[in-house]
Amino acid sequence: MKVRGQFLIFLGSKAQINPDEFYTKDKFSKLLDKYPKKDYEALGKKLFDYFMSKNPDYFEQIKDAFVDFHKIFHYYLREERIGIINALEFRPGLMRFSENLNIPCGITFGVLKALMRHFKVRSLTFKHTKCRLDGEETCDYQVNWMVKNVD
């Protein structure tokens, strides 16, 4: 796996790093080990915000966002064994998916929260229903929001 330089910069790299170049997993792993786990969700938001600054036309509709969610991670991660995101269910007011990305789930959760807040939907709730840290093969997430019945 290779990681876009901008991800390394967000992790606090002090080295000269080109934000658009890809670097080895070893460099990524060393920086990630030093990054506070309590800040993973905030890091996920940074990743989403930077992705959107480079791709402002993405995610105009919530249903498309669910299908294209993986593109955020493919922007930062390249080559083999980056993991898979599976759509489990989508309907108005509910989205469920499963992932085994090669990054901590707290970061994925932060990206998901930033993505959903991008749509300014009301009454958002997030659940991390299954977790690799608990020995599961995947992390599963569920997002619920209030659906507007009248425009």
Side-chain angles (χ1 to χ4, degrees), residues 65-113:
F66 184 53
V67 173
D68 291 338
F69 184 60
H70 71 280
K71 290 182 181 178
I72 298 168
F73 299 99
H74 285 274
Y75 181 78
Y76 292 103
L77 308 173
R78 289 286 196 278
E79 296 188 352
E80 297 176 3
R81 294 183 290 282
I82 67 168
I84 295 172
I85 299 176
N86 288 318
L88 300 175
E89 182 177 4
F90 177 80
R91 60 179 190 232
L94 173 77
M95 174 169 61
R96 292 181 343 139
F97 74 94
S98 175
E99 58 90 1
N100 68 348
L101 295 171
N102 205 355
I103 59 173
C105 52
I107 296 171
T108 305
F109 204 53
V111 170
L112 175 63
K113 283 184 171 183

Side-chain angles (χ1 to χ4, degrees), residues 8-9 20 24 43 65 74 83 101 108 112 119-120 124 147 149:
L8 302 181
I9 291 169
D20 294 318
T24 65
L43 175 60
H74 285 274
L101 295 171
T108 305
L112 175 63
F119 291 106
K120 298 179 176 119
L124 271 173
V147 177
N149 290 332

Side-chain angles (χ1 to χ4, degrees), residues 86-148:
N86 288 318
L88 300 175
E89 182 177 4
F90 177 80
R91 60 179 190 232
L94 173 77
M95 174 169 61
R96 292 181 343 139
F97 74 94
S98 175
E99 58 90 1
N100 68 348
L101 295 171
N102 205 355
I103 59 173
C105 52
I107 296 171
T108 305
F109 204 53
V111 170
L112 175 63
K113 283 184 171 183
L115 170 68
M116 293 306 295
R117 289 185 176 129
H118 168 75
F119 291 106
K120 298 179 176 119
V121 294
R122 295 180 16 185
S123 301
L124 271 173
T125 59
F126 300 90
K127 293 180 189 168
H128 192 166
T129 57
K130 254 174 52 174
C131 187
R132 293 186 314 252
L133 296 175
D134 296 332
E136 302 287 346
E137 287 185 25
T138 63
C139 285
D140 290 5
Y141 307 89
Q142 179 174 317
V143 181
N144 296 86
W145 64 95
M146 183 183 296
V147 177
K148 212 167 47 167

